[in-house]
């Protein structure tokens, strides 16, 4: 869950919704400068599913007692975070091996930046065990796909690294879009571009500019839903009840090339 705030209102965007926006970006991606996405369907599916582990938690989110709001995706205690990511690749696997591989790699990529110093000894041990299990799973899937004539070309180290990073780029872009852009965001290490992506609101505030332009068409539109919540909550039951009756709003966001002149 993440928050979108502005004009005195606060909306909550679920992690699966944010992942769906990542998938919308993935399906629009690609041009001469940024290259294509291959295998396109599998990679786009991986982007759409990359936060599938959050499904159960989003049905019954936990309360951050410090803020009086639902935990954001950045605030979860390690034990809760592991319960989410520990099931992610297995939840994605029925959709296909390649998508599940990308989901698993996204999860272990997050733990490459994990602050083990804030964990208890048990939490740190569990986090390291999770990473070890997922790395073994990834190698197993790569070996299977390498033996598949239809998929072997897509599990070379270079292609996997590219696709894994693309999912990370779409993830970052989607978080910025869903959270509401108030300042220019810079995303580095974008495959094939040779330059970082800059994402900013256009001066008129009507749409978002992306430079250099990474999509197939001259404009790209994404749509997502969010719920409006007011105030803070004293306990988790009150918070979940408020979410169940919260007003929904649909956001349509247009991405375009920067205006010249």
């Amino acid at each position: 869950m993440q928050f979108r705030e502005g004009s005195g209102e606060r909306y909550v965007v679920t992690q699966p919704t944010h992942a769906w926006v990542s998938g919308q970006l993935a399906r629009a991606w690609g041009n001469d400068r940024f290259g294509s996405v291959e295998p396109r369907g599998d990679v786009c599916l991986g982007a759409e599913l990359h936060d599938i582990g959050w499904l159960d938690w989003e049905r019954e989110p936990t309360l951050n007692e410090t803020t009086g709001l639902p935990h954001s995706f950045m605030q979860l205690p390690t034990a809760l975070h592991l319960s989410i990511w520990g099931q992610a690749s297995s939840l994605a696997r029925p959709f296909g091996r390649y998508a599940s591989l990308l989901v698993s790699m996204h999860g272990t990529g997050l733990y490459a930046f994990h602050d083990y110093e804030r964990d208890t000894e048990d939490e740190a041990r569990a986090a390291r065990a999770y990473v070890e299990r997922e790395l073994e799973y990834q190698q197993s899937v790569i070996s299977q796909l390498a033996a598949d004539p239809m998929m072997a070309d897509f599990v070379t180290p270079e292609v996997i690294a590219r696709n894994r990073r693309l999912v990370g780029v779409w993830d970052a872009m989607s978080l910025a879009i869903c959270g509401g852009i108030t300042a220019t965001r810079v995303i580095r290490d974008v495959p094939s571009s040779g330059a970082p992506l800059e994402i900013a609101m256009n001066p008129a505030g009507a749409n978002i500019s992306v430079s250099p332009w990474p999509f197939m068409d001259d404009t790209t539109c994404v749509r997502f839903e969010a719920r409006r919540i007011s105030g803070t909550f004293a306990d988790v039951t009150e918070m979940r009840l408020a979410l169940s009756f919260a007003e929904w709003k649909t956001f349509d966001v247009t991405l375009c090339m920067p205006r010249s002149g």
Side-chain angles (χ1 to χ4, degrees):
M1 186 174 289
Q2 71 175 115
F3 302 110
R4 181 185 181 97
E5 301 185 15
S7 302
E9 294 185 321
R10 176 184 292 124
Y11 291 87
V12 294
V13 182
T14 69
Q15 293 304 104
T17 291
H18 139 71
W20 166 230
V21 173
S22 297
Q24 293 176 59
L25 296 170
R27 293 188 183 280
W29 191 270
N31 54 34
D32 289 344
R33 178 166 185 172
F34 284 81
S36 60
V37 179
E38 297 293 342
R40 190 171 195 88
D42 300 85
V43 177
C44 293
L45 181 59
E48 291 163 1
L49 296 176
H50 81 261
D51 273 344
I52 193 173
W54 288 84
L55 281 173
D56 286 340
W57 183 91
E58 289 284 3
R59 284 195 288 266
E60 294 186 328
T62 52
L63 179 69
N64 184 332
E65 295 181 354
T66 301
T67 64
L69 296 170
H71 280 109
S72 78
F73 74 99
M74 298 273 300
Q75 298 169 337
L76 278 187
T78 296
L80 265 176
H81 197 264
L82 284 171
S83 71
I84 289 166
W85 279 100
Q87 63 177 341
S89 60
S90 63
L91 288 173
R93 188 172 178 82
F95 291 89
R97 293 172 295 175
Y98 205 94
S100 179
L101 174 65
L102 292 176
V103 170
S104 177
M105 288 183 160
H106 189 74
T108 53
L110 296 176
Y111 275 83
F113 301 96
H114 183 68
D115 182 8
Y116 289 90
E117 295 298 322
R118 74 176 188 180
D119 292 342
T120 66
E121 185 175 334
D122 287 344
E123 288 173 334
R125 185 183 303 112
R128 292 188 172 96
Y130 155 75
V131 172
E132 183 176 345
R133 287 194 307 271
E134 290 301 309
L135 291 178
E136 290 177 356
Y137 173 71
Q138 291 164 21
Q139 287 306 310
S140 173
V141 173
I142 289 170
S143 296
Q144 293 173 28
L145 292 171
D148 183 340
M150 297 289 290
M151 299 299 293
D153 289 344
F154 306 124
V155 290
T156 64
E158 296 78 13
V159 174
I160 288 176
R162 171 182 167 79
N163 289 337
R164 179 179 188 173
R165 181 57 192 146
L166 281 173
V167 172
V169 169
W170 300 325
D171 174 48
M173 292 181 70
S174 174
L175 288 173
I177 292 166
C178 292
I181 295 176
T182 57
T184 299
R185 306 285 183 93
V186 178
I187 301 174
R188 304 187 186 280
D189 301 322
V190 182
S192 301
S193 70
L197 277 183
E198 291 191 357
I199 308 172
M201 290 298 301
N202 274 330
N207 47 41
I208 294 173
S209 67
V210 182
S211 178
W213 185 247
F215 300 109
M216 291 181 282
D217 297 329
D218 291 343
T219 61
T220 293
C221 298
V222 298
R223 174 177 291 181
F224 62 95
E225 295 180 329
R227 286 169 289 176
R228 185 170 67 86
I229 58 173
S230 302
T232 57
F233 307 98
D235 60 66
V236 68
T237 302
E238 177 190 3
M239 179 265 290
R240 290 174 179 171
L241 187 63
L243 282 173
S244 68
F245 289 100
E247 172 191 356
W248 287 87
K249 179 176 179 178
T250 300
F251 291 87
D252 277 308
V253 179
T254 298
L255 310 179
C256 62
M257 301 178 191
R259 295 176 180 175
S260 59

